[in-house]
Amino acid sequence: MKVFIVGIGLIGGSFALDLKAGIPGISIAGIDGNEDHLKQALDLGLIDKMSTMEDIHDADLVYLAIPVDASIKVLPKILDRVKDDCVVIDAGSTKENICRVVEDHAKRRNFLAAHPIAGTEFSGPQAAIHGLFRNKTNIICEVEKTAFKLQEKALEVFQKIGMRIRYMDARSHDCHIAYVSHLSHISSFMLGKTVLEKEKNERDIFDLAGSGFASTVRLAKSSPAMWAPIFSQNKKNVLETLDEYILNLQHFRKLMQEDNFDQLYQEMDRTNHIKEVLNGINKNEELKLQENGK
């Protein structure tokens, strides 16, 4: 199988590592606008060769892992070039716009819209991790618009790297992801901004910040080059989630102003239910690991 990965960063690089481990004899070519990234990816063994869009007609599978605003421009050009039995998969965090931009393309049947719920706050080829996708959910949108044989090819690859599959329409995907992913990144960025603006002495931040602060602002280390386009592409849903979040913050502030700490306690106590939800996710992860180990 000849695989071309467009965008050799955390996601594209990790996908390459898992493909190499799961599919013996696979050939991986890398395409990236940043030549240094390509050279790093080659040195790290993520890819077997550096390539260009001119060679993509030779691909059996193309994995598109670049910022979502760039994906919208690049995807139609990839579909223009690929052969009939090549499946093109994207990994973007927004789905509605990218599905819309190719809905009338002559090779729409070659495209599978996907979003792996996996990643870290780091970027670039050096951030690639073996096993990043194992036991992670991969959301597939508008699967019925992809040719069945190409669905099978993609699903076989996902199975070999250990991903779970969930199907969803593109609009629902963007709405749900705004709450459980995009909002948390905004919260992290803005908490980091607030602390940097108010705590002018960096040594104070270093000495006084505990693990709670570190874990809450972890996502603020994420790449703005990736996240600014995501917020732009999912603007409507992100604004709705922000409105609700701001209302909750204002309510919290009002309770404090009124010295209503009994109700504040009740609000936090009800929110503690999130522990049960997250524990359920962790237990499910453990069961999956046990099943894979049998």
Side-chain angles (χ1 to χ4, degrees), residues 4-278:
F4 281 65
I5 298 179
V6 183
I8 311 295
L10 166 68
I11 298 298
S14 298
F15 188 70
L17 284 175
D18 285 355
L19 286 184
K20 283 176 172 285
I23 308 176
I26 197 168
S27 169
I28 299 181
I31 300 174
D32 200 295
N34 186 326
E35 191 170 345
D36 288 338
H37 279 186
L38 279 178
K39 291 176 180 177
Q40 288 176 33
L42 194 62
D43 291 342
L44 292 167
L46 305 179
I47 59 175
D48 300 306
K49 65 176 182 177
M50 299 186 292
S51 193
T52 68
M53 292 284 285
E54 302 303 319
D55 300 320
I56 217 161
H57 60 85
D58 202 29
D60 298 307
L61 184 151
V62 177
Y63 197 67
L64 184 60
I66 58 179
V68 291
D69 57 336
S71 290
I72 286 175
K73 298 173 184 176
V74 171
L75 177 60
K77 297 176 182 178
I78 292 174
L79 290 176
D80 288 342
R81 289 174 166 85
V82 296
K83 57 189 180 182
D84 289 342
D85 61 349
C86 173
V87 60
V88 180
I89 306 166
D90 90 303
S93 182
T94 60
K95 293 271 77 83
E96 191 171 7
N97 284 347
I98 200 164
C99 287
R100 185 184 298 119
V101 81
V102 294
E103 62 184 353
D104 296 321
H105 196 284
K107 289 186 177 177
R108 173 63 183 85
R109 63 189 292 279
N110 291 74
F111 174 56
L112 186 76
H115 177 202
I117 309 300
T120 72
E121 67 272 30
F122 303 109
S123 58
Q126 69 281 359
I129 301 171
H130 172 62
L132 179 69
F133 299 104
R134 181 155 298 279
N135 295 313
K136 299 298 194 307
T137 298
N138 193 24
I139 301 176
I140 296 177
C141 298
E142 297 189 354
V143 67
E144 71 282 356
K145 295 184 180 180
T146 306
F148 185 71
K149 286 289 185 183
L150 299 182
Q151 290 181 39
E152 286 186 321
K153 180 187 286 190
L155 290 173
E156 183 179 356
V157 168
F158 296 146
Q159 187 272 329
K160 287 184 181 295
I161 65 175
M163 299 203 80
R164 302 195 300 266
I165 303 299
R166 178 165 180 182
Y167 298 97
M168 193 176 290
D169 68 89
R171 181 172 295 181
S172 296
H173 166 276
D174 286 4
C175 179
H176 292 310
I177 289 297
Y179 281 96
V180 298
S181 174
H182 300 173
L183 181 60
S184 59
H185 279 79
I186 294 171
S187 178
S188 186
F189 276 118
M190 291 303 98
L191 175 58
K193 178 179 183 290
T194 302
V195 171
L196 286 172
E197 288 176 346
K198 295 301 179 183
E199 293 289 347
K200 302 299 184 183
N201 188 330
E202 292 184 11
R203 188 70 203 183
D204 287 343
I205 299 175
F206 182 84
D207 288 340
L208 301 178
S211 59
F213 175 78
S215 62
T216 306
V217 298
R218 176 181 65 85
L219 297 177
K221 294 183 283 184
S222 301
S223 168
M226 181 177 76
W227 279 97
I230 288 172
F231 298 144
S232 173
Q233 292 295 321
N234 205 21
K235 176 181 173 181
K236 178 177 178 294
N237 290 310
V238 169
L239 284 175
E240 288 180 5
T241 64
L242 271 175
D243 286 343
E244 293 184 42
Y245 187 47
I246 290 167
L247 282 174
N248 276 315
L249 289 175
Q250 289 173 335
H251 177 61
F252 191 96
R253 184 175 185 275
K254 182 172 179 289
L255 292 176
M256 289 196 67
Q257 283 180 321
E258 296 172 349
D259 287 328
N260 193 347
F261 291 100
D262 288 338
Q263 187 169 345
L264 201 65
Y265 172 90
Q266 293 170 16
E267 297 273 346
M268 292 188 292
D269 189 51
R270 281 195 294 271
T271 307
N272 270 176
H273 173 62
I274 198 70
K275 288 190 294 188
E276 298 171 26
V277 176
L278 294 176

